[in-house]
Amino acid sequence: TAAPAMLKEMSTTYQGHIDTVFGNVADRELEPKVAVALSNVTHHGDQGMVTIDGKRIFFNHYRKKSEQMALSGDVEIACYGHDHVKHVEKKGGVLLLNPGTAGGMFQYPSFAVIDLQTMHCSFIEITV
């Protein structure tokens, strides 16, 4: 999740594809409009699913929904971000992940990197 202004900034500074969902303080009208105008952004609404290298990755804002998806066994990775605290664990053989906060809320800015072959997750923390 990202505010529309941050989404524009990320879109210009990161050349890869960005998939995003609504957060709990989302501008539900503006976010999708901004995303559509950015060629490397897809906005999925309240939840999203992508497949990368054969791994199904579910993402939404809230932990409870991601835990439910993890326990369903229908995905290999289930992500959330509501509390902004980096966290990773296995739930029913599925990686349950909160990558932390790119904006630095409650802790240093961080993001997660997952090796999709080994399913090993590393957190990258940016300290200033």
Side-chain angles (χ1 to χ4, degrees):
T1 63
M6 179 56 71
L7 195 53
K8 286 180 185 178
E9 178 68 22
M10 289 173 18
S11 171
T12 59
T13 58
Y14 176 68
Q15 299 306 305
H17 192 81
I18 300 168
D19 291 277
T20 186
V21 293
F22 288 123
N24 56 305
V25 292
D27 183 327
R28 290 183 169 266
E29 288 185 31
L30 185 57
E31 278 185 36
K33 289 177 186 173
V34 168
V36 164
L38 303 170
S39 63
N40 63 333
V41 175
T42 301
H43 192 283
H44 295 267
D46 287 318
Q47 62 188 35
M49 178 90 72
V50 295
T51 300
I52 301 173
D53 290 342
K55 306 292 185 191
R56 293 163 299 177
I57 304 166
F58 171 82
F59 49 98
N60 86 119
H61 192 66
Y62 298 103
R63 180 181 175 129
K64 184 176 180 179
K65 180 66 177 170
S66 287
E67 283 182 330
Q68 292 170 341
M69 193 59 130
L71 292 172
S72 77
D74 291 337
V75 297
E76 284 73 38
I77 303 168
C79 304
Y80 66 98
H82 175 69
D83 64 9
H84 302 265
V85 177
K86 61 184 177 290
H87 175 85
V88 65
E89 69 177 288
K90 287 277 191 158
K91 284 274 189 191
V94 172
L95 201 64
L96 178 66
L97 171 67
N98 182 334
T101 173
M105 185 177 284
F106 307 127
Q107 63 181 355
Y108 288 114
S110 65
F111 59 93
V113 176
I114 302 170
D115 179 324
L116 294 175
Q117 299 304 310
T118 65
M119 296 300 284
H120 179 265
C121 178
S122 300
F123 291 102
I124 308 300
E125 211 172 77
I126 302 157
T127 57
V128 288

